[in-house]
Amino acid sequence: IAGITQAPTSQILAAGRRMTLRCTQDMRHNAMYWYRQDLGLGLRLIHYSNTAGTTGKGEVPDGYSVSRANTDDFPLTLASAVPSQTSVYFCASSDSSGRATGELFFGEGSRLTVL
Amino acid sequence: GQNIDQPTEMTATEGAIVQINCTYQTSGFNGLFWYQQHAGEAPTFLSYNVLDGLEEKGRFSSFLSRSKGYSYLLLKELQMKDSASYLCAVMDSNYQLIWGAGTKLIIKP
């Protein structure tokens, strides 16, 4: 089934540990995004990539890094996890950098708990 | 700063009509979006408005007034499966999406 796949779906992590959330899409979309979703807050953009080989910082980039070695994959790394990074993380993609209809396609989310 | 406001929660009855409002203040405007998100699931795209007026898509309609910084999502003939959160988002002048916190819609029989 075409779409976006995220892994893991859920993870409990000790503070200070390094963690990589994986995201793969098979729609050949140019643009990819990482959001976090916290109760009572809107989706907040962490990092984005308009095309393979380029990345940019979103609204809340601190403590996170990304890479975009190819079109399909966009991993998000927490170098040293802290409890405030407990959240649900969504990877998303769009064509034309979202400048067409702006429709984003989301993965199913990764629920991360940092203790 | 940029801001998207929508009610936190609304309750409606199966078969009825409900209107979910969204007001926004953003740096520029390149379109307004509504997404649906069922509990524990990913958001899914519902509608896109860039010009003033009403866009109808089946039981769902979305309205935009750019001069008022206002939109609403209208859901008709409510079904139990419409119980979800509805997210309003605006694309600003940098083509970044600014998201509201979402409106949780509860449908009662």
Side-chain angles (χ1 to χ4, degrees):
Chain A
I1 298 177
I4 296 183
T5 302
Q6 290 185 231
T9 56
S10 181
Q11 182 75 45
I12 298 174
L13 187 66
R17 298 296 294 269
R18 181 183 179 89
M19 178 72 194
T20 295
L21 304 179
R22 300 183 299 279
C23 176
T24 300
Q25 55 107 354
D26 62 3
M27 297 176 284
R28 309 303 293 173
H29 284 168
N30 288 328
M32 296 187 75
Y33 312 85
W34 274 106
Y35 286 95
R36 60 178 290 173
Q37 188 174 41
D38 302 289
L39 195 64
L41 299 176
L43 288 162
R44 291 183 292 170
L45 183 65
I46 303 170
H47 285 287
Y48 65 93
S49 170
N50 287 332
T51 190
T54 68
T55 63
K57 293 182 179 180
E59 179 186 358
V60 288
D62 294 344
Y64 306 95
S65 63
V66 292
S67 61
R68 188 86 184 279
N70 56 61
T71 298
D72 299 343
D73 301 302
F74 191 44
L76 176 73
T77 298
L78 289 67
S80 179
V82 294
S84 62
Q85 292 178 311
T86 294
S87 187
V88 180
Y89 291 86
F90 286 101
C91 181
S93 73
S94 69
D95 60 7
S96 302
S97 300
R99 295 187 186 203
T101 66
E103 180 177 0
L104 296 182
F105 295 83
F106 285 86
E108 289 304 309
S110 296
R111 182 176 296 275
L112 184 66
T113 302
V114 183
L115 302 176
Chain B
Q2 306 200 93
N3 194 51
I4 310 287
D5 285 319
Q6 49 182 136
T8 302
E9 186 174 297
M10 299 181 70
T11 302
T13 304
E14 189 177 16
I17 299 173
V18 71
Q19 178 175 310
I20 303 173
N21 295 326
C22 171
T23 59
Y24 64 89
Q25 291 179 309
T26 56
S27 301
F29 180 85
N30 280 301
L32 185 142
F33 305 84
W34 286 96
Y35 281 76
Q36 181 189 59
Q37 186 177 23
H38 286 100
E41 297 184 7
T44 56
F45 173 82
L46 285 178
S47 69
Y48 167 69
N49 295 68
V50 67
L51 299 176
D52 290 352
L54 188 67
E55 294 281 342
E56 298 185 76
K57 192 184 294 185
R59 293 189 299 114
F60 292 10
S61 302
S62 56
F63 172 83
L64 174 67
S65 169
R66 288 172 297 172
S67 63
K68 296 182 178 178
Y70 168 70
S71 172
Y72 67 73
L73 180 69
L74 191 72
L75 291 74
K76 302 177 184 176
E77 301 170 13
L78 286 170
Q79 301 175 11
M80 297 304 293
K81 68 179 183 179
D82 297 330
S83 291
S85 288
Y86 292 85
L87 313 181
C88 175
V90 172
M91 186 171 283
D92 69 10
S93 57
N94 294 318
Y95 294 94
Q96 297 293 337
L97 279 173
I98 311 301
W99 296 82
T103 298
K104 182 178 180 180
L105 179 62
I106 299 168
I107 309 297
K108 295 185 175 180

